[in-house]
Amino acid sequence: MPTDVPQEKLSIEENATQCDSMTLPSTPTVRRGSTPLPIKHQLRREEAVHDDCEWTSGAAGPSVSPLSFSPALDDTPTVAVEGRHDGPLRIALLGQNGVGKSSLALAFAGDMDRTASVDSDGEGYIRTVTVDDEESAIIIYDNWRQDLSVLQCEACILVFSVTDRRSFHRTAQLRLLLRETQPQTPIILVGNKSDLVRTREVTSQEAMSSAALFNCLYLEISASLDHRTPELLECAVRLARGQPPWPPGTSAEDMCGGGQRESITSRAKRFLSSLVPRYPRERDVGKFLRQKSRSCHDLGAL
Ligand SMILES: Nc1nc2c(ncn2[C@@H]2O[C@H](COP(=O)(O)OP(=O)(O)OP(=O)(O)O)[C@@H](O)[C@H]2O)c(=O)[nH]1
């Protein structure tokens, strides 16, 4: 990129194209957070969700982990403590078109009035929530139309659909932009539509790895089924308050069940394998076969 061209002069298309090629090279590379990137002041929400480029999509593979909540790499969330906003806590939902931001905002808003006009920057839901016995007024922006660089919020939720790999890549791009323009704003990465198991394209594991890379939380939800949306709202409110995202007295490990929450299937397998030795030792083979021969599978033994 020529250095003598001011950023402001670059067109939105150029910015978007450069951003895409820089953040998502065709050969996957791990990008360090310290690597400088140009600020995309012109990038608006519409551009942020603009989706006309071909992304490199690897095979998604099966979802290898039932984990849906992942702690950040370190336990201390990035929270803007200085210059805290006095008014309601502002929580922004960002992501590609169709990932379920409005559905999520509706789930968050409950029965509140969605037409509540917030300010000249946008429109959102406003409501009061009680989290950890403390009441907070919150505003949820689900339709941010201004420049991302002027977005002011206490917490940002980046939403992708687990059934759409491109929307996942888009969140990576948005995270880079947000980290540049507002590095202190806590971010939660959210994989929505977890109910659509058969059409899943992004595994929990890779989403968690991506979240860990950016030192942010990852939560998997289904906005339609209202699955895990209350937990997400609580995490967002705590982060917006400048607190750790998990309930007081709990740790990241508690939230994740020690890092791995075992599925019913694997628990059942473990239980069954504890009943029948899979690989009997050599000296036990005879005993094992004699035991087996008495089973109803070997009728000759009767
Ligand atoms: N199966 C399933 N469908 C969902 C879920 N969340 C949203 N949808 C559907 O996905 C479609 C898009 O949802 P929206 O909430 O409009 O998505 P959006 O991100 O606000 O889209 P834009 O307003 O275009 O940016 C709708 O048909 C929703 O019903 C979910 O958790 N599971």
Side-chain angles (χ1 to χ4, degrees):
M1 181 182 70
T3 49
D4 53 343
V5 181
Q7 274 300 315
E8 293 74 20
K9 301 279 182 206
L10 290 172
S11 68
I12 292 167
E13 290 74 18
E14 281 173 317
N15 272 331
T17 310
Q18 285 168 6
C19 183
D20 291 352
S21 60
M22 275 185 291
T23 55
L24 294 158
S26 50
T27 312
T29 53
V30 176
R31 183 179 188 85
R32 290 194 174 278
S34 57
T35 310
L37 271 175
I39 298 172
K40 313 297 179 301
H41 286 292
Q42 298 301 314
L43 193 85
R44 289 168 178 270
R45 179 177 178 274
E46 288 83 350
E47 281 76 50
V49 298
H50 176 61
D51 189 24
D52 63 354
C53 58
E54 278 304 314
W55 305 98
T56 309
S57 61
S63 180
V64 294
S65 168
L67 260 185
S68 57
F69 187 93
S70 151
L73 274 183
D74 66 54
D75 281 1
T76 314
T78 313
V79 176
V81 178
E82 284 171 23
R84 283 282 299 279
H85 173 67
D86 279 342
L89 302 171
R90 296 161 298 184
I91 298 169
L93 303 177
L94 299 174
Q96 190 174 281
N97 285 322
V99 294
K101 298 179 297 297
S102 302
S103 308
L104 180 55
L106 271 174
F108 279 172
D111 53 3
M112 302 306 287
D113 179 12
R114 92 147 291 181
T115 58
S117 194
V118 176
D119 53 30
S120 56
D121 286 339
E123 182 186 279
Y125 300 90
I126 186 157
R127 67 171 294 195
T128 304
V129 288
T130 303
V131 177
D132 306 329
D133 300 324
E134 188 188 333
E135 247 188 25
S136 294
I138 59 166
I139 294 172
I140 301 148
Y141 295 121
D142 94 281
N143 201 17
W144 187 257
R145 293 191 182 280
Q146 313 298 314
D147 292 356
L148 258 192
S149 59
V150 297
L151 171 63
Q152 301 271 319
C153 60
E154 280 63 59
C156 205
I157 298 177
L158 296 186
V159 189
F160 69 93
S161 164
V162 297
T163 63
D164 181 355
R165 178 163 288 275
R166 290 195 290 183
S167 71
F168 176 56
H169 291 317
R170 183 59 71 185
T171 55
Q173 187 183 51
L174 286 168
R175 267 177 299 171
L176 285 171
L177 293 169
L178 284 168
R179 284 285 185 247
E180 220 172 79
T181 55
Q182 38 188 309
Q184 295 302 306
T185 304
I187 294 174
I188 303 178
L189 180 65
V190 167
N192 188 32
K193 306 194 187 182
S194 63
D195 56 296
L196 298 177
V197 179
R198 287 173 181 228
T199 49
R200 184 186 266 270
E201 287 183 2
V202 181
T203 67
S204 306
Q205 206 59 53
E206 61 187 315
M208 284 190 291
S209 305
S210 172
L213 201 65
F214 284 83
N215 198 21
C216 67
L217 296 169
Y218 175 61
L219 198 66
E220 216 158 81
I221 64 159
S222 169
S224 289
L225 299 182
D226 219 3
H227 177 65
R228 288 193 169 246
T229 50
E231 286 102 313
L232 172 59
L233 182 60
E234 287 175 11
C235 284
V237 169
R238 289 191 194 101
L239 284 174
R241 284 175 182 164
Q243 300 166 346
W246 25 85
T250 57
S251 65
E253 285 72 33
D254 295 335
M255 290 295 286
C256 300
Q260 284 287 335
R261 195 174 292 170
E262 203 177 9
S263 69
I264 292 172
T265 316
S266 62
R267 260 188 288 166
K269 277 184 186 162
R270 195 161 51 80
F271 173 70
L272 287 172
S273 62
S274 74
L275 293 179
V276 181
R278 251 173 109 190
Y279 303 108
R281 283 173 296 177
E282 209 174 312
R283 63 188 168 82
D284 293 336
V285 167
K287 196 173 146 199
F288 178 66
L289 288 177
R290 273 196 303 280
Q291 277 176 356
K292 238 193 145 189
S293 69
R294 279 196 287 270
S295 79
C296 55
H297 291 294
D298 187 357
L299 297 179
L302 296 175

